[in-house]
Amino acid sequence: MLELIRAVAAPCGLEPSSRLATRPSTLIGRILAVPALSLLVSTLALSQAPTAAAADTPPEASTSGMPVSLGPRPYFLVDDMDEDNAQSADLKARLEQCAANRTSFERSDFSIGHRGAPMMFPEHTREAYLAGARMGAGVLECDVAFTADKELVCRHSQCDLHGTTNILQTPLAEQCAVPPEYDDNGKLTNAADVQCCTSDITLAQFKTLEGRMDGVNPEADTLEGYLAGNPAWRTELYADRGTLMSHAESIELFKSLGVKMTPELKTPSVDMPFDGMSQQDYAQKMIDEYSAAGVGPDDVYPQSFLLDDVRYWIDNTEFGDQAVYLDDRDLKPEFDVSDPATWSPSMQELADQGVKILAPPMWMLLAEGDDPERPIVPSVYAEQAKAAGLELIAWSFERSAPLVDDGAWYHQTIDGVVNNDGDKMVALDVMARDVGVKAVFSDWPASVSFYANCMAEELDL
């Protein structure tokens, strides 16, 4: 390994001195401080790694390129679990036993890194993706938007650059769809309306930006105040470096990490066709980048909130079997999660159109039960989806602020029985054990990875 490190270091002016030669860790540290060299070393190391059989380790360990490290968060959640009902107390005991006895953890496809690990890292950045992989996520997500020159990049929304990057602190702010405006005294006058889109700039310009923790203050009258909108519980500890990525770059990174991929084709914020690119062209272009990178359909779960996108992939590509329909039918005014008559299309109609995987927000899958010893149960929605033969993926665990006497948006259907963060683990257990979800998105994948490792044999995760 040291010879490999030296081979990378020499052309970059990092040839080890006699002191470094006797302390390889110092040389490695200097190399890994350079992102491009770090990725190169990881890739070369993978190419020279022994096979699973030769190393006598599981195949996952030999291809992942880095060990799984969960940190204290999962244990905090377990410690915070209630013991005043059998549902929570029994699960807490099993998870405590796992925590006490398990010495190592593995990646799990049950754990999906939602935008990487955005509870603490700028979303959709290289740093967030690395954190998600290190926390055991077996699948990572790149939300896919397009630039002015029709190149694909990783952003949660086509028009979120004002909140998720430093664009307003650069000259590119002038190119924004709705740039910031100031009065004669230098006060920001249109904070609520500022909007910067990936389609406002080219890929080359996009790559000059840096990711930041998402959050703005739309009532601010200064740029500094506007950008100080990140909720405190998400922290700024890791926000001083956020490397933006094109979609193609994310594919190469995910390949080097040995994880599967779930790109979401973002609903355009501009009229389509865009400069001659139709919605179908856009959907196909995303798939083409996986084919060009040599990534097969079994390793990709393409997603969209637009049913037509999902049906396009099903009807026209080899990637349709794992296409995911992201459910936002709750946005329709007539929708009632407890009344199937208000769901359009119905679960069976989705299945008849070829949809195999449905991904709703967590709250749609959960309900409050009548038994005080089992306060959280599967919803009618979950039962109907299973009856139609649909597989389920839930979003997004650890997305909410601390749950003190409040279920917040992601736990709204169980608000009456949620009073602390430990209740998240009970909700996760119901989704895995009783609903049978195949995976869960998380803003802090370590929590889901911990659960998946502890329950892998019992629930076949």
Side-chain angles (χ1 to χ4, degrees), residues 35-87:
L37 295 182
S38 175
L39 180 57
L40 177 58
V41 168
S42 298
T43 304
L44 291 173
L46 285 176
S47 69
Q48 296 188 8
T51 64
D56 195 26
T57 57
E60 184 176 44
S62 66
T63 60
S64 65
M66 60 176 65
V68 172
S69 178
L70 301 184
R73 178 67 180 175
Y75 306 99
F76 169 83
L77 295 181
V78 173
D79 291 342
D80 197 42
M81 292 176 68
D82 295 326
E83 297 183 7
D84 58 358
N85 65 78
Q87 188 177 44

Side-chain angles (χ1 to χ4, degrees), residues 11 40 49 82 84 89 94 113 115 121 128 143 145 163 172 198 213 226 234 285 302 347 359 385 424 429:
L40 177 58
D82 295 326
D84 58 358
R94 290 201 299 276
R115 314 184 201 178
F121 291 83
D143 289 332
L172 290 174
T198 58
M213 295 299 289
Y226 179 80
R234 284 189 185 156
K285 183 176 178 64
M347 296 296 186
K424 294 179 182 180
D429 187 60

